[in-house]
Amino acid sequence: MRLTRRHGLLLLPWFLLPSISYAGIVLHVDGVDETLTNAVRASVELSQYAQRDVTAAQVRRLYEKAPDEVQAALRPYGYYEATATGDLKQVGTNWDVTLHVVPGTPVKVTTVQVNIDDVAGKVPAVRRALRGVTGLKDQQLNDGAYDGARDAVSGALTATGFLDAKLTVHTVEVNRAEHSAAVKLTWDAGPRYRYGQIHFKNSQFRDGFLDRYVPFKSGDYFNQSQLLELQQALNGADYFAVVNVIPDTDDAKDGTIDINVELAPAKRTIYTGGPFFGTDTGAGLRGGIEKRWINDRGHKWKNELVLAQRLKTLSTLYQIPMPGPNQRSFNFGANFRDADTVTSKSRTLQLVANETRLWYGWQRTIGINALSGTFTVGKRGGEGDNAEGLERGRSTLLYPEVSLSRKKGDNPTFVRSGWSITVTGRSTAGPLLSDASFSQLIGDVKWIRSFWGNNRLILRGSAGKIWTSNFSALPPQLRFFAGGDRSVRGYDYESIGPRNVYGRVIGGEGLLVGSTEVEHYFTRNWGMAAFVDAGNAFTGTDYSPRVGAGLGVRWLSPVGMIRFDVAVPVGDKNEHGIHLHVVIGPDL
């Protein structure tokens, strides 16, 4: 292999310019694809002088070394007969070097011979990794692919309990004349280890409580993925600031290995609070106190107070976690709610008892609710409580509730591909301990996909239906309204719905709302949106959707996504004007 000098010869012989210093070397590579070009640039020493002064003598020495460096750079990619020629010339104060590379015929893997113990070879994770090795056959030899496939088998052996596994034969025999290679690999897997004892250190809970988080038992085969699952479960429990799951490989004996779980308790009490703003609720303050654990059985207690212009709530929730594969929890809570929207006003107390768990990939909640309070519907602006046409009520309702929810997203902060589904059903047991019998079914869906780079399409929809013997006995939070930040923008919160004979909005027995939104991001954190929302609440089959459309600004702030939207009603002779909508929260 030989480099030849072609055009732009130096005005003076290089050996007559030993003392002249120039700014550096500009290197060009042609004849190969981008991957091989980058490999050549990274390997030839000429590249190191792009920003360094170099003499003519140094350039000549580096130039003459380049052929061997090119060949060495391409050998890991299966090219064992690579050649290179070149041009060398002075351009101003720099040296311009062009390498013309001819990679030659690549070497292909013609045979792959793998030997491994039968027991180890039947383990699913090891079997999958072995397919990666046998898949090298008839492929172009590539050191990176070979190393990755070989190491994947060794990693799978270790991860599935073959802690003493050794790679005893690992050769790649290359026949340059035939452009072929033979791969030979042999593993001595050794014994497969099982779990011994699990030791929790520095736990604040009674003995046995944390055992419920362990996804394996003593005597099962060792598996590193289960150790990661245990660590994630303990982190998710929110009891600990530090969780380290460490196999005691130093004292492994008799085919078993103990697991040490090193823990450091988290801060027991959390205080949260601060101002917030939402166009549906107005400006307000939020404060909370959470006890991560209140006893050695891991029970939790949360309390929150919200004081906003149009919403005031005081809630408490007591949780009894039941760790395990289903992540069960028994929950008991109470919530006082004082809401004042543009169309209704209510004060209610709700008591809740339910069980939550994972169920076939869904988050399932089954419980019972007791709701009691007073309410007024049909409000308009700031008129008095004695205005004609207002509907007032007081009711007590006892009803079971079941909900299923599921979501999937590629990023919890900014979703480029994801969706969510929530279905909720409620029903009284006839008139038992209730002022009215009713059944209710609600569904909410959302779908997000990115397209054409920095753009997102967001679709969402809501649908609901109520069957009741006495609609007037239902408080506003159990009726259907449309309008607001998460419904039809361009209208006030819960301002759309069926009207009584006085023309006042009183809510409906049905709901159907949909939205289409397109976002474009100019930077990582800033973008704009255009959207159209449509829908309404209705009774019977009298469905007449209201339409809102507008533009918005998106800011991916340090506290999450903040959405500023400006919307107007479309084609509505009774509603006019611009509405501002501000929403802070995750995509799903």
Side-chain angles (χ1 to χ4, degrees):
M1 184 165 44
R2 183 170 56 89
L3 284 173
T4 60
R5 189 183 313 165
R6 293 179 178 173
H7 302 292
L9 296 178
L10 302 178
L11 296 177
L12 294 176
W14 65 271
F15 52 83
L16 295 179
L17 303 172
S19 61
I20 300 179
S21 179
Y22 298 92
I25 296 174
V26 179
L27 176 64
H28 308 279
V29 179
D30 60 32
V32 289
D33 61 23
E34 183 179 0
T35 298
L36 299 184
T37 296
N38 292 336
V40 170
R41 288 183 176 278
S43 299
V44 297
E45 194 175 353
L46 287 163
S47 299
Q48 299 178 16
Y49 288 83
Q51 303 295 328
R52 295 165 57 186
D53 287 341
V54 61
T55 65
Q58 289 175 312
V59 172
R60 175 59 57 185
R61 179 180 58 82
L62 297 172
Y63 183 71
E64 291 175 348
K65 288 173 57 179
D68 292 336
E69 293 173 331
V70 169
Q71 190 176 66
L74 299 190
R75 193 175 294 122
Y77 297 88
Y79 296 97
Y80 280 73
E81 297 179 346
T83 60
T85 57
D87 296 329
L88 173 64
K89 61 184 178 180
Q90 179 186 353
V91 179
T93 59
N94 289 326
W95 296 94
D96 194 281
V97 178
T98 301
L99 298 179
H100 308 288
V101 179
V102 179
T105 303
V107 171
K108 288 191 175 182
V109 178
T110 54
T111 61
V112 176
Q113 180 181 332
V114 178
N115 298 301
I116 195 169
D117 300 356
D118 289 341
V119 173
K122 293 178 180 178
V123 175
V126 177
R127 188 168 63 246
R128 287 193 297 270
L130 287 171
R131 285 199 292 267
V133 174
T134 56
L136 296 174
K137 186 178 179 181
D138 299 326
Q139 301 297 316
Q140 183 173 323
L141 179 63
N142 184 295
D143 287 1
Y146 163 76
D147 291 344
R150 178 199 64 204
D151 294 344
V153 176
S154 296
L157 287 168
T158 301
T160 54
F162 297 94
L163 303 181
D164 298 329
K166 296 179 181 178
L167 180 61
T168 57
V169 176
H170 49 99
T171 62
V172 179
E173 298 175 356
V174 176
N175 186 322
R176 296 193 183 191
E178 298 180 359
H179 304 104
S180 65
V183 174
K184 296 181 180 179
L185 294 169
T186 299
W187 280 271
D188 178 7
R192 189 178 186 186
Y193 283 77
R194 297 176 182 267
Y195 292 112
Q197 300 299 312
I198 297 92
H199 305 285
F200 293 97
K201 301 181 178 180
N202 302 319
S203 168
Q204 66 268 43
F205 302 111
R206 61 172 57 183
D207 292 342
F209 173 72
L210 295 180
D211 292 342
R212 303 176 187 178
Y213 287 94
V214 181
F216 53 83
K217 59 181 181 295
S218 296
D220 290 348
Y221 284 120
F222 177 91
N223 192 311
Q224 284 184 346
S225 64
Q226 292 177 327
L227 300 186
L228 178 59
E229 185 179 346
L230 171 59
Q231 183 167 24
Q232 291 174 337
L234 291 173
N235 280 325
D238 201 31
Y239 293 130
F240 307 104
V242 176
V243 177
N244 290 320
V245 180
I246 305 172
D248 191 0
T249 54
D250 293 337
D251 291 331
K253 56 185 177 181
D254 299 326
T256 63
I257 181 170
D258 289 349
I259 306 300
N260 295 322
V261 183
E262 299 178 351
L263 305 167
K267 187 178 180 180
R268 187 171 186 174
T269 304
I270 304 174
Y271 300 93
T272 58
F276 71 93
F277 177 80
T279 45
D280 289 349
T281 61
L285 296 172
R286 177 183 287 111
I289 301 175
E290 177 183 352
K291 290 285 188 179
R292 283 185 164 124
W293 72 93
I294 64 172
N295 54 36
D296 62 2
R297 296 184 297 278
H299 294 187
K300 297 172 175 285
W301 190 24
K302 298 179 181 179
N303 300 276
E304 185 180 55
L305 173 65
V306 173
L307 298 174
Q309 289 173 290
R310 293 183 288 277
L311 178 67
K312 299 171 182 62
T313 64
L314 176 62
S315 61
T316 184
L317 179 65
Y318 189 90
Q319 296 177 290
I320 304 176
M322 303 293 290
N326 295 327
Q327 300 181 19
R328 295 175 65 197
S329 176
F330 292 103
N331 313 289
F332 306 90
N335 180 45
F336 173 75
R337 185 174 186 268
D338 184 349
D340 188 2
T341 73
V342 296
T343 57
S344 68
K345 185 175 183 179
S346 63
R347 286 188 177 184
T348 56
L349 176 65
Q350 184 175 20
L351 304 179
V352 178
N354 61 41
E355 179 226 41
T356 62
R357 66 159 65 190
L358 288 179
W359 183 71
Y360 295 101
W362 294 77
Q363 183 73 31
R364 188 190 75 182
T365 302
I366 298 178
I368 190 166
N369 295 262
L371 179 65
S372 181
T374 61
F375 56 88
T376 301
V377 293
K379 290 176 50 186
R380 288 179 186 164
E383 63 185 2
D385 293 339
N386 297 320
E388 185 181 20
L390 291 177
E391 297 186 8
R392 301 177 182 83
R394 174 186 293 273
S395 66
T396 298
L397 301 168
L398 180 69
Y399 55 92
E401 179 176 288
V402 179
S403 71
L404 293 172
S405 64
R406 189 170 186 173
K407 64 181 178 179
K408 183 178 181 181
D410 57 356
N411 187 310
T413 304
F414 184 81
V415 177
R416 291 188 172 275
S417 176
W419 51 267
S420 66
I421 302 176
T422 301
V423 179
T424 302
R426 307 181 178 105
S427 181
T428 58
L432 179 65
L433 300 177
S434 298
D435 293 329
S437 62
F438 80 97
S439 297
Q440 185 180 62
L441 186 63
I442 306 171
D444 294 289
V445 298
K446 192 171 186 179
W447 183 85
I448 302 174
R449 283 292 184 279
S450 62
F451 67 97
W452 297 346
N454 300 322
N455 303 285
R456 294 199 305 175
L457 173 64
I458 303 175
L459 305 178
R460 61 174 170 84
S462 298
K465 178 62 178 175
I466 299 173
W467 298 267
T468 180
S469 62
N470 186 4
F471 182 78
S472 63
L474 299 182
Q477 59 260 51
L478 292 178
R479 303 184 186 192
F480 290 128
F481 297 85
D485 300 342
R486 302 178 188 273
S487 181
V488 181
R489 287 164 286 188
Y491 292 83
D492 288 331
Y493 177 60
E494 293 190 349
S495 64
I496 312 174
R499 300 171 181 266
N500 63 11
V501 295
Y502 295 92
R504 297 177 178 276
V505 176
I506 60 172
E509 298 175 357
L511 177 70
L512 192 59
V513 173
S515 173
T516 299
E517 182 172 317
V518 176
E519 296 179 344
H520 173 73
Y521 285 83
F522 302 100
T523 69
R524 178 184 178 89
N525 297 323
W526 287 93
M528 67 172 294
F531 56 86
V532 176
D533 303 335
N536 206 340
F538 58 97
T539 297
T541 59
D542 184 18
Y543 177 68
S544 178
R546 300 291 187 267
V547 178
L551 300 174
V553 175
R554 300 292 177 263
W555 177 32
L556 187 56
S557 75
V559 298
M561 181 65 76
I562 299 179
R563 305 165 184 84
F564 303 92
D565 292 327
V566 176
V568 296
V570 177
D572 191 332
K573 62 182 181 180
N574 297 318
E575 292 287 342
H576 306 280
I578 297 174
H579 288 72
L580 173 67
H581 300 273
V582 180
V583 178
I584 302 174
D587 289 319
L588 298 176

